[in-house]
Amino acid sequence: MKVLLDLQYLNVATTGIKTYMMELAHAALTYPHPDIEWVFSHDPENQSADQTFKGPQSKIQRLNYHLDYFRWKEFQLPDLIKKHKPDVLICLDFISPAASLPCRRLTVIHDAFFWQMPQNYPKWWRTYFLSLLRKGIKKNTELITTTEYSKRSLEEYLGKVNPITVIYQAPKSLDSGLDTTFLEENDLATKQYFLHIGTFDKRKNLPLLVRAFDQFLKKTKTDFKLVLAGGAGQSVQMNDFPIVEKLLEELGIQDKVLLPGYVNDEQVRTLYKNAFAYVFPSENEGFGIPVVEAMGTGVPVIHSDQPALLEVAGAAGLAFKTGDQQDLMEKMIILSLDNAQLNSMIQNGLEQSKKFSAQKFIEGFQNVILKK
C-alpha cells in the first residue's frame, strides 16, 4: 500500500498543526509497517525550516502565499499523485484537492473553529477557506480528527456523509537539552511560576488568566510569577497580545508576568521542567497538545472545562469553569496549598500522558489506511 503524505503546509504551520505534521512524519519513519510504503511530498525538516512565507507579511506577500498554496493543492499535488500513483493521499491541513483523484483520501480536520468562531477570521478568507475545504471532500474522502469532541463538532457542520475517525495525536518530542541560563536570565525560580505556552489567540483567554493571577497574588501574598510564552495571534481579529500588555500595565504586575515571545525547544523543555503548574484557560480546543506535554514532564495542569481538554486530561487535570475568573483563581490557590493533591496530579498526569505516544499515533493511521 503506497501512501502519499502531503507536508507542503509545514512552510507556514505553527504550534499545534506543525507539531501534528512533524510528529506524524517522524512516527511513520520510526514505526514502519511492512504493508505500507510512505512517500513524503517534502522533506519535513527542510520544509519546516523554509522562511519564505514566515514572519510579518505585507498584503502582497500574503496574497503570494495564498496563490502558492492554491497552486500546490489544485495543480502540483495532483501532478505528484500522477507521478507516484499512491493508493492513499493524506492531507494534514484541512484541505484536499478539488479535482477527482484515482486514490482514497484521508483529510485531517483538526477542529471546527472556522464554523464555531467566525468572528476570529477575516470574512473573505473564511469564506474562501471553507469553500476549498468542502470542495476537497469527495465520496472517497475519509476524515480524521483529534478528539471525540471535534468529531461531534464536525458532524454538526459537515453531517455524517463521510466517515470521521478519531486518532489521538502525539506531543512534540521534548528530548532536547536544557537552557541552563534561561531561568536565571529571566529571574524565574524553580517551581515558583505558572506557565502557558502558545499563541495569544483570543480563544486562549489569556486576559482571564492574567486577571486570575493578579487575584492569586493579592490573596496569597506569594512571589509566584506567570510565564506566557508564545507569539501574537494569527490575525488582527484573533490577537490578544496588545490587550494582555495593556492589562499588565493597568494592574501594575509587569514585573510578575514574563512575555518571552517564541521560545526554542530547549527553552520550552526548561520551562516545563521547572514550572509549578501549567494553566490552560482556553475557550475552545480541538485537542490541547500542551496538556499532554506538561503532564508528560511531571507538571500538574489546571484547565478550563472545555470538552476537548476534559477528554485529553481525563481525571489527571484540575478543571475550572470556562470563563470563570474566580473559579480559576481558587483552583490556583488550592494547588499552591495542597501538596498531597499536587503530588497526586503529577503522578496521574504522568500516567495519562502515556496514552498519547508516537507509536499509538501512527498505529491509528495505519489501521485506517489498511482497513478493508
Side-chain angles (χ1 to χ4, degrees):
M1 184 80 69
K2 184 183 289 188
V3 180
L4 176 59
L5 187 63
D6 176 11
L7 296 173
Q8 191 265 356
Y9 187 69
L10 273 173
N11 65 344
V12 294
T14 59
T15 59
I17 294 183
K18 179 180 179 181
T19 297
Y20 192 103
M21 297 178 76
M22 293 296 288
E23 293 308 314
L24 182 64
H26 291 160
L29 299 175
T30 304
Y31 302 100
H33 191 287
D35 297 325
I36 297 176
E37 175 190 352
W38 290 94
V39 178
F40 291 177
S41 67
H42 299 75
D43 177 271
E45 304 298 336
N46 291 341
Q47 188 68 358
S48 177
D50 185 352
Q51 297 296 311
T52 305
F53 297 109
K54 289 185 175 128
Q57 301 283 315
S58 68
K59 289 184 178 179
I60 294 297
Q61 289 171 316
R62 290 196 295 271
L63 177 60
N64 285 338
Y65 166 70
H66 289 303
L67 291 173
D68 182 75
Y69 184 81
F70 181 83
R71 185 166 53 248
W72 167 257
K73 286 291 184 180
E74 306 305 338
F75 298 99
Q76 293 171 298
L77 183 55
D79 283 346
L80 202 61
I81 290 167
K82 290 179 183 178
K83 175 182 177 181
H84 290 287
K85 297 180 173 56
D87 301 288
V88 181
L89 167 68
I90 302 181
C91 293
L92 304 176
D93 56 343
F94 295 82
I95 306 298
S96 176
S100 296
L101 301 174
C103 61
R104 287 169 59 203
R105 309 179 191 218
L106 301 182
T107 301
V108 179
I109 302 181
H110 299 258
D111 50 61
F113 296 163
F114 301 105
W115 293 278
Q116 295 170 327
M117 312 178 82
Q119 71 278 7
N120 286 354
Y121 305 93
K123 185 176 180 180
W124 71 268
W125 184 86
R126 177 177 172 271
T127 301
Y128 165 73
F129 190 84
L130 288 179
S131 174
L132 284 183
L133 188 154
R134 289 184 180 277
K135 288 178 179 177
I137 300 178
K138 306 296 185 181
K139 288 184 179 180
N140 65 344
T141 302
E142 300 164 69
L143 303 180
I144 306 294
T145 195
T146 53
T147 55
E148 294 294 339
Y149 164 71
S150 287
K151 178 179 179 178
R152 293 191 300 270
S153 299
L154 291 174
E155 287 176 342
E156 179 181 348
Y157 295 102
L158 294 175
K160 299 182 180 181
V161 177
N162 297 82
I164 303 177
T165 300
V166 174
I167 299 176
Y168 287 139
Q169 67 188 89
K172 188 173 185 177
S173 302
L174 294 174
D175 52 5
S176 58
L178 296 172
D179 186 336
T180 57
T181 64
F182 186 78
L183 296 187
E184 183 179 353
E185 289 173 351
N186 290 282
D187 196 25
L188 293 173
T190 299
K191 307 302 179 184
Q192 289 294 302
Y193 61 89
F194 293 97
L195 175 64
H196 181 276
I197 299 177
T199 60
F200 282 72
D201 285 355
K202 287 189 179 298
R203 65 182 175 83
K204 300 293 186 179
N205 225 354
L206 295 180
L208 178 87
L209 173 53
V210 170
R211 292 189 184 96
F213 177 66
D214 180 57
Q215 281 188 292
F216 169 86
L217 292 177
K218 289 182 170 69
K219 292 277 188 180
T220 61
K221 309 296 183 184
T222 60
D223 290 327
F224 273 81
K225 291 190 175 182
L226 172 64
V227 179
L228 304 177
Q234 296 181 1
S235 70
V236 174
Q237 290 96 324
M238 297 169 67
N239 185 22
D240 262 350
F241 187 80
I243 293 173
V244 168
E245 283 192 309
K246 183 178 179 181
L247 184 58
L248 295 179
E249 185 177 350
E250 291 175 353
L251 297 173
I253 56 172
Q254 300 98 316
D255 62 330
K256 292 291 186 179
V257 181
L258 178 65
L259 306 175
Y262 283 112
V263 286
N264 62 38
D265 287 353
E266 290 185 349
Q267 292 165 345
V268 167
R269 188 162 180 256
T270 300
L271 285 171
Y272 274 131
K273 184 176 177 60
N274 294 282
F276 172 74
Y278 191 92
V279 187
F280 208 167
S282 183
E283 293 179 344
N284 200 359
E285 291 292 328
F287 184 84
I289 200 71
V291 170
V292 182
E293 290 177 344
M295 288 182 172
T297 50
V299 180
V301 176
I302 301 172
H303 61 86
S304 60
D305 62 357
Q306 191 271 338
L309 299 183
L310 288 171
E311 184 177 339
V312 171
L318 182 59
F320 72 94
K321 186 177 179 180
T322 302
D324 191 324
Q325 177 181 321
Q326 181 72 17
D327 193 22
L328 173 54
M329 181 269 294
E330 291 174 357
K331 295 299 192 297
M332 294 168 78
I333 291 176
I334 287 171
L335 202 59
S336 71
L337 296 176
D338 191 339
N339 284 333
Q341 180 165 358
L342 180 72
N343 292 331
S344 175
M345 287 178 63
I346 290 172
Q347 294 305 314
N348 291 338
L350 288 170
E351 286 301 311
Q352 180 71 5
S353 69
K354 295 177 182 177
K355 298 178 181 179
F356 307 96
S357 68
Q359 185 170 358
K360 291 179 180 179
F361 187 25
I362 194 62
E363 285 176 352
F365 273 90
Q366 291 167 347
N367 290 338
V368 176
I369 289 166
L370 296 172
K371 74 178 182 181
K372 303 298 183 181

